[in-house]
Amino acid sequence: MSATLTDTFDDSQCFHCHQPVPRGLDLQVEIEGLARPMCCYGCQTVAQTIIDQGLIHFYKFRQIDSDGVPQALVPDALQALNEQVKSYDDPDIQREFVRGHDNADLHEVTLAVEGMTCAACAWLIERQLLGLSGTKHVVVNASTDRVNVKWDPKQLKLSNILAAIHKVGYRALPFQQADLEQSFEKKRRSYILRLGVAGLASMQTMMVAFGLYYDDIDDMHRLYFWWVSLLFTAPVIVYSCQPFFANALRALRARTVNMDVPVSLAMILAFVASFYATIFDTGEIYYECVSMFAFLLLAGRYLELLAKHRAVANAANLMKLIPAIAERLEQHDDAQVGEAEGERWKQVMVKYLQANDIVRVKPGEPIPVDGRLLSEKAWADESLLTGESRPVAKQRGDSLYAGAINQQSPLQMSVTGTHQDTLLSSIVSLQDTAMEQKPRFARLADVVGRYFVIATLLISSLTFFSWMMLSPPDAFWITLSVLVATCPCALALAAPTAMSGAINRLNRGGVLLKNAAMLEVLPRVKTLCLDKTGTLTQGRFSVIESWFNASLPGDMTQTDIMRLVSSIEQYSEHPLARPLQQLAEGGLAVAHVANQPGAGLTAMYDEQDYRLGSLSFIQEWHPQIESPLPQANVLLADRSGILAAFQVDDEIRNDALAMVQWFKRQQVHLVMLTGDDQRRADLLAQQLGIEEVHAGLKPADKLALVQQLQSSAPVMMVGDGINDAPVLAQADASLTFASGTDLAQAGSDGVILNGRLNALQNIFEVGRMTRQIIRQNFAWALGYNAVVLPLAVTGHIGPLWAMIGMSISSLIVVTNSLRLMRMKRGG
């Protein structure tokens, strides 16, 4: 038969397992507004976990056999649970959070999971999801409580993925940035309340413990103090410790262990022993240990929560820049064209915007989606996206990005990217991907931590049996000390907290990390390969230097010469012509313009012949003449001689020289790799002080050269992210200046968003600092356990000091990792 919450239960039976409730035991869990009896602390913990995780359907749809024993969750109950998340299979709803939702072979989603505390939780969820047919990729990050899943929509539905996570006792929903702050506040309030209860109990039980330390206290007062301590400690066990018990229970149900298993075991054993001693007036009590241990553990978890939130909030808060409402141009027929301007625009939800919609953005408002500028010009503040503080000038046809602020007059734009397809979403998604990845030292910490928990339980058992033979009265408290003192909480936090801090620091510095393993490689890099065009230079031609003849013909001025050059270059499509076309405003009426391929242009103005082009082209008129500007590659001449000369080249980045000098001080060998000709490459290398130059290279040549350099030491490559894709993938670490839609396609380990080469210095400093901090964390965690274990096993440390030492060890690791978020340049 099927039992529901409305059935009548005998108060003498446990609501969870239907076993008899022991006489005199009053344990209850509030379920659907009713206090339901429980037969033991285990059932109470499980029932409370089920309610807290929102799995009330377990009780609504479970089966009760003829003997009144609840059976396992049946398909009907699982189907009911699936109904809760079935709405997420709607394609329109998935557009809000699923990437690749339109005609893609694989869909990708980031899920927010409640209840994860360590690597064992992540391992359990990963194993559960990889068992589903159609799941192609799963990465679980316990530091951010998120799961990234890629699946085949033809084989698997999103609701099946959510239900699979629910089945192992965790609650999962599609992660949306708008919910991040709400979820954080909920967790923060919960921790503060639990911390407050444990803190209050700790103070009271410690005061009582001081009174009990006096030997002359009589038995009546001693027993009274014991009961007072029990009164204060009971809420700690029932309420404050609930997260530890729930996480330990989930791990044990999955036949694995996590760091909450020894923690929970220690607190339960200490409380049960103290409870037994109080009831029967015999033995020792450890109420102050339980309360203090819970308080310090919760304090550590609370600081860890704050560190996690600080690490992910920087990019997540960017999503708050997206307005909920946008002004869209409505379609009009011919009869409506003459309507007032205000009647043509309609406010709509941003999520309803589609590609090619025309949107208007007022001054001071954030741009709602990615698009192309339709107005003549605009100024956009992209500082929160790229770190560049100065507004960026935009011309018609330029790209606009969601989250940027329109600085001046109203602009109109055509939508090109919405929902998960914007640059802003790409930035947040790529940061999440980086935080979900685990470098070698993080994976090592997970493995060591899992085995360390098993070792802790085995050593504790051996300690108990050994002391039972040596000194039975001391066996329990020494075992308790070992169980607590060697808990690998600090070891589990050593790498994740440092990685989160490093990624946050880089993101704030304008570097978007796509592969977190890059941080592991950077400290070992001894060779830095740099592409020329678009990396050391701006990637666009500009007038570097100009020269004008002091004796211009007639009444012509330098301004007239610049207007003449600009007017003639309007007839050229050569890349060098573009900066000259913008040399001056106001064109002149030139005539008979003819293009001589590979040489230049001829034109007539005011009945005078002119030539504009290379020196050899000018020398056809004036064979003996030389360029007055040594580096000039575009010259203007008439029949009398050279009137002007211009050096048009790819402009060097402002911070390129400082970057090269910094890496030389760090004893990193610099190599320039370029497809440009040797003369121009050597000229740039001489200006910057780069000694090794390889020019005229094809992509395959660059690849072979990097492979050769890798034979001696790890190599880092910085390129443009498009032509250099093969060599970027080959290098041990790689960065690119790709932006916009290139973010996802770039084959590099990271993306420089602010267009500044000093970001290279930043990432090297962060990489070295990250290695240093992780080494310090591991040294502290392992060193602490190596020192405290012999002391605990031999009985030189009591339970209270063991609990204080373990908690302080975790706090030290978290605080040390937070230095990465505070580090300054050069630190």
Side-chain angles (χ1 to χ4, degrees), residues 405-417:
I405 307 296
N406 179 23
Q407 288 288 292
Q408 294 186 357
S409 57
L411 65 83
Q412 294 184 24
M413 58 182 288
S414 175
V415 177
T416 60

Side-chain angles (χ1 to χ4, degrees), residues 460-471:
S460 300
S461 301
L462 291 174
T463 301
F464 177 77
F465 290 116
S466 298
W467 279 97
M468 282 297 292
M469 292 184 290
L470 297 174
S471 177

Side-chain angles (χ1 to χ4, degrees), residues 520-539:
E520 181 184 357
V521 178
L522 284 174
R524 298 184 286 114
V525 168
K526 297 300 180 183
T527 303
L528 176 61
C529 294
L530 298 161
D531 182 40
K532 173 182 171 288
T533 305
T535 301
L536 293 171
T537 64
Q538 298 283 2

